[in-house]
Amino acid sequence: MSRRGALLLAAGGLAQLSLPPAAPAGVSAGRAADRQAEVAGLLAARARSLPAWSGLTGAEAVYRNLVLSPPAGPDRQGASAELALRIAGYDEYPVVYPRRIELVRDSGGWRVEHEEGTGGPPALWDLGPVRTAAGAHCLVLGLADGPDPAALVPVGDTAVPAVSAVWGSAWPGRLLLELPATEVQFARLLEADPAGWTGMAAVTVAAPGAPWHTPADRVVINPEAFARLSDFGRQVVVTHETTHVATRADTRAWTPLWLSEGVADWTAYRDSGRRPQQIAPELARDVAAGKLPTALPADADFAAGATGIAQAYEQSWLACALIARRYGTERLVAFYRAVGAADGQGEDRDRRTDRLLRAELGVGLAEFTGLWLAEVAALKG
C-alpha cells in the first residue's frame, strides 16, 4: 500500500478533520467541539461501512476536512466534507468527492439523513446501488438496475495484455470500468449534455482529486452506444480506451489529438487482420468521392458531435499505422513519449512535432504529412 493509502486508513477511517474557525452562532465552544467529535465519529463509521451501503466492494473510504454548518435546530445538523475513496488494487491515490451531508438526531443518536455531491461529477453510487465484477486485469462497476457488469470483464481482460504488448509494463496493467444504466447517466458522470455524446461508446476520464501522473483513470461506458456495437467493435473501443489509461503519463496538453487518438486506435486494431478500408470506411468513402483532407486533423475535429469526427479518428489511425509500418512499433512509441515529455511547456506545437519527427523518424512535419496524404489517397484502391 502506498504511503497515501496508509494515511487514508489512519484514525479508524477519518483523517484531516478541520474544525470551523469559531463555534456556530448560538452554540458554545464546548458543545460545538462535542458535536464535531460526534459527527466525526459517525462519519468514520459510515466510511468504514461504505462497501455495504453503496455496493462498492473493495473500497476504502474516509471523510476528511469536515466543517459543520450552523445548526438548523437541536436535532438537525448540516455539514460539508470531502469523501476520499480508494479502490484497493486500482487506485494509488484516492478519488475525492466534495459532499454535503444532512444529519438528524433521534433516540438512537445522530444519523445521516441525506448525502449528495457538491461539485464535479457524481459518484457512481449516487445514481443507484452498485454491483461489481472482477477479472484478472480489470474491475467493472455497474448499477443494480443496469447491464450486467460481468459481460464487460472478458473485454477488459483482453484489452489490458493487448495494450501492454505495445506500451510495456510502465503502467499498472489494470483497468477500472464504470457502466451506468443509461446514456443520461453516462452524460452525468461526464458532466456533459447527453445530446453531444449519443454516438460516443466510451470515454476515459481522470478521477477527481488524483494527480495527473497516477493510475486513477476510469473508463466510462455509454451503455446504449456500446450495446449497438458488434463484439469486435466493443473490443476495439475498450482497447482504445485502455491505451489512453496506459499512456496517461506520456500525454500532455501539447500532445496533438491526432497522435493520442491515433495511437489508441492503432493499438486497438493492431493484429486484427482488417484492411485499411475496413478500419477507415468513412474516410475511404470520402476518398472515393474525391474528398481528401489537406492536413492532419486539428484538435477541434475530435469534439463530441463535430461534423466529420469519424473521419478524424480514421485519419489519425492511418497516420499512426503509417509510422508503425514504415518505422516500426518501437519508433512510434518513442515518438509518442518524446512528444509528451515534460519539456514541451511553452513550445509551439507544430514546431515541436516537426522537431521530434525529425529526431525520431528522420522526416519533418511537411514531409510526413505528404507521406500520410499518399496513404489516404491509396484508400481509393
Side-chain angles (χ1 to χ4, degrees):
M1 181 182 295
S2 67
R3 180 174 178 271
R4 176 72 65 88
L7 290 174
L8 280 180
L9 298 178
L14 189 73
Q16 301 182 28
L17 293 178
S18 298
L19 294 176
V27 179
S28 69
R31 285 176 55 203
D34 289 346
R35 182 167 294 187
Q36 179 91 11
E38 193 173 359
V39 172
L42 171 68
L43 293 183
R46 182 173 172 82
R48 290 193 295 271
S49 65
L50 183 141
W53 58 260
S54 71
L56 191 57
T57 56
E60 301 164 349
V62 55
Y63 289 92
R64 64 190 192 189
N65 296 328
L66 172 66
V67 176
L68 300 184
S69 307
D75 298 320
R76 300 196 68 85
Q77 177 67 60
S80 64
E82 293 176 337
L83 176 59
L85 184 143
R86 174 181 174 272
I87 297 179
Y90 288 86
D91 294 330
E92 181 180 346
Y93 289 81
V95 184
V96 180
Y97 299 100
R99 310 295 282 179
R100 179 168 48 244
I101 305 163
E102 297 297 329
L103 304 107
V104 295
R105 182 166 53 185
D106 53 27
S107 59
W110 288 102
R111 61 180 175 82
V112 174
E113 182 180 54
H114 179 70
E115 179 181 329
E116 63 183 5
T118 60
L124 185 65
W125 66 86
D126 287 333
L127 307 179
V130 173
R131 54 177 175 163
T132 64
H137 304 291
C138 71
L139 177 67
V140 185
L141 313 179
L143 293 175
D145 61 349
D148 184 1
L152 261 179
V153 168
V155 184
D157 276 353
T158 299
V160 170
V163 169
S164 294
V166 175
W167 298 94
S169 58
W171 71 297
R174 55 184 183 258
L175 184 64
L176 187 61
L177 301 109
E178 292 190 358
L179 180 62
T182 67
E183 191 167 73
V184 170
Q185 291 177 341
F186 169 75
R188 283 190 63 192
L189 291 171
L190 301 179
E191 294 187 291
D193 178 1
W197 294 87
T198 55
M200 198 71 70
V203 175
T204 299
V205 297
W212 66 266
H213 63 281
T214 60
D217 294 279
R218 270 81 171 138
V219 175
V220 184
I221 302 293
N222 180 345
E224 296 171 33
F226 197 76
R228 292 192 292 267
L229 298 173
S230 65
D231 289 346
F232 176 76
R234 292 172 189 174
Q235 189 63 65
V236 166
V237 164
V238 173
T239 306
H240 173 110
E241 300 302 331
T242 305
T243 304
H244 287 315
V245 175
T247 58
R248 181 180 181 185
D250 299 307
T251 307
R252 301 290 202 285
W254 49 86
T255 303
L257 283 181
W258 71 259
L259 182 57
S260 59
E261 297 300 339
V263 297
D265 258 7
W266 178 81
T267 303
Y269 283 108
R270 179 175 175 263
D271 296 333
S272 69
R274 300 282 173 122
R275 295 182 297 108
Q277 289 85 353
Q278 294 174 301
I279 297 173
E282 300 294 332
L283 181 57
R285 277 192 283 272
D286 280 356
V287 172
K291 184 180 177 182
L292 278 74
T294 58
L296 290 160
D299 284 4
D301 295 332
F302 296 92
T307 301
I309 187 172
Q311 288 90 333
Y313 276 92
E314 292 170 3
Q315 291 167 17
S316 300
W317 165 80
L318 192 60
C320 292
L322 166 63
I323 295 173
R325 189 185 72 253
R326 189 180 180 98
Y327 303 98
T329 298
E330 290 184 1
R331 300 294 351 129
L332 173 61
V333 171
F335 171 61
Y336 188 88
R337 288 175 170 157
V339 170
D343 62 355
Q345 184 72 46
E347 185 176 2
D348 177 81
R349 179 189 282 188
D350 285 348
R351 187 176 299 115
R352 177 178 180 80
T353 303
D354 178 77
R355 177 172 64 81
L356 292 172
L357 278 168
R358 294 178 187 278
E360 297 293 337
L361 308 181
V363 296
L365 180 57
E367 184 179 351
F368 175 75
T369 302
L371 293 170
W372 169 74
L373 287 172
E375 295 282 314
V376 173
L379 291 175
K380 188 175 182 178

